[in-house]
Amino acid sequence: MASILIHTADESVTLTAQTVKRLLDRGDGDAALLYLALLRHHGTVQPRSLAGELRWEKSRIEAAEQALRDLRLLAPAAEEIPEPADEKPSYQRDDIARRLESSEEFRLLTAEVEKKLGKRLTTPDVGILLGLNDYLGLPADVIFLLVNHCVERVTRKYGEGRRPTLRQIEKEGYAWARRGIDTQRAAVEYLKKYTERQGAIPPYMRALGLGDRLPVASEEKYLNAWQEMGFPPETVALAYDKTVLKCHELKWPYCNGILKRWHEAGLHTPEEIERADKPPAKQPTQSAGDAWKYV
């Protein structure tokens, strides 16, 4: 009997009969599709990185990944997404050309990013966008929100006309992936909270005697952490006073240590700290006459 399959000239992938039987017995179409996608990439990428290629939500790809692990068709899961310098696939010119030709969504993303950055993207630049989409699994709409976020941060810090590099955008993209920001809803929620934190920073900087300047990256990490712990600027000012009294200048780690101890003790407002610092009231002593009454 003649084959009813249409054979293309593309590179083939191979499944063993035992693997096919496991997938068929499982009856999970998503698991089978994910396995084929992994084979296409020669098993060199993490399953979650294929969310963009498969156009799946995080929950769907996680369920398919777990099914493959249950079937013992995947190695144990990695603990976390690597930093940009680790295990990132190298996209060649041909890989990029194929994606640009086959995906209208990716072509539109590239064009919009060029407009936002005000420059023509180089092949390595487009390779970074492809890595965010293909390797990290960030959808195109999330990547565009990421790019806008990075542009706004650089503009706020350095003024109009300055733009982030694709390497800076890539680094922030990995940070988003580690936080699980891989859907438009998650990105919008994160950006809303980020904007709220940024709007609250000036009072904290003034409480630390730093005036109205913007914090550098390391300072911003401390300020964000203190906000998340629930400290108002007034409490930070109190910790600053104690830091200067001890160190004769602002030492961020020392100030952070004070606030962490207060946080662990459940003390967050100046009033709570003042009450905790008060020595316990002395009990009145009995006079000899009073003592005689109870003999």
Side-chain angles (χ1 to χ4, degrees):
M1 180 178 178
S3 173
I4 63 172
L5 296 175
I6 297 176
H7 297 279
T8 67
D10 294 338
E11 181 182 357
S12 62
V13 295
T14 303
L15 283 79
T16 66
Q18 185 181 21
T19 298
V20 172
K21 185 176 186 307
R22 287 188 195 179
L23 291 170
L24 290 175
D25 288 346
R26 179 81 180 199
D28 189 327
D30 282 354
L33 279 174
L34 178 57
Y35 192 75
L36 290 173
L38 288 166
L39 282 178
R40 177 174 173 269
H41 289 275
H42 310 289
T44 59
V45 301
Q46 291 294 327
R48 63 193 160 195
S49 73
L50 299 174
E53 182 176 322
L54 293 169
R55 296 181 176 83
W56 288 356
E57 293 290 331
K58 180 182 178 182
S59 58
R60 185 176 178 184
I61 202 163
E62 286 179 346
E65 180 181 354
Q66 186 57 52
L68 293 179
R69 296 197 190 284
D70 293 343
L71 293 170
R72 297 186 179 179
L73 293 176
L74 282 183
E79 290 186 0
E80 62 178 26
I81 293 171
E83 292 289 341
D86 299 333
E87 303 178 17
K88 188 185 66 172
S90 176
Y91 294 99
Q92 305 302 316
R93 186 181 296 272
D94 290 345
D95 300 323
I96 295 168
R98 278 195 295 271
R99 177 56 66 89
L100 288 169
E101 183 179 354
S102 64
S103 173
E104 181 181 5
E105 183 180 54
F106 189 72
R107 285 199 305 274
L108 290 173
L109 171 65
T110 303
E112 290 301 316
V113 172
E114 286 184 335
K115 290 179 185 177
K116 194 67 183 177
L117 298 182
K119 70 168 189 173
R120 180 84 173 176
L121 297 183
T122 65
T123 298
D125 288 341
V126 181
I128 288 174
L129 290 181
L130 181 55
L132 294 172
N133 183 229
D134 186 59
Y135 180 56
L136 289 188
L138 299 182
D141 56 353
V142 173
I143 295 173
F144 189 62
L145 288 172
L146 168 71
V147 172
N148 278 275
H149 171 60
C150 292
V151 169
E152 289 169 4
R153 284 203 317 184
V154 169
T155 300
R156 184 172 60 253
K157 188 172 183 179
Y158 299 108
E160 291 293 336
R162 293 288 295 272
R163 293 291 183 269
T165 66
L166 263 295
R167 289 295 179 189
Q168 291 172 318
I169 293 170
E170 179 186 46
K171 184 176 180 180
E172 183 68 11
Y174 273 73
W176 279 30
R178 282 191 294 275
R179 296 187 184 106
I181 306 170
D182 51 11
T183 65
Q184 187 179 51
R185 175 180 295 180
V188 169
E189 289 177 358
Y190 169 76
L191 292 174
K192 180 182 178 182
K193 291 179 181 178
Y194 178 85
T195 301
E196 291 172 354
R197 289 199 306 267
Q198 290 299 304
I201 279 179
Y204 287 87
M205 292 294 283
R206 289 192 288 270
L208 293 166
L210 299 174
D212 293 324
R213 73 168 176 84
L214 292 174
V216 299
S218 58
E219 295 171 339
E220 189 173 330
K221 287 182 180 179
Y222 281 117
L223 297 175
N224 289 339
W226 298 343
Q227 287 187 57
E228 289 173 5
M229 289 181 198
F231 289 114
E234 295 78 14
T235 306
V236 172
L238 186 59
Y240 167 72
D241 288 343
K242 291 181 178 293
T243 300
V244 173
L245 186 63
K246 177 70 175 180
C247 304
H248 309 293
E249 62 178 333
L250 172 59
K251 296 283 189 181
W252 288 86
Y254 190 90
C255 190
N256 185 55
I258 294 173
L259 290 165
K260 283 180 69 175
R261 287 193 295 274
W262 287 344
H263 179 63
E264 290 165 1
L267 308 173
H268 295 89
T269 67
E271 293 76 19
E272 291 171 342
I273 294 161
E274 184 181 357
R275 284 196 297 270
D277 285 345
K278 280 184 177 179
K282 292 183 179 181
Q283 296 296 325
T285 57
Q286 293 178 334
S287 67
D290 289 338
W292 177 82
K293 294 177 183 177
Y294 298 98
V295 175

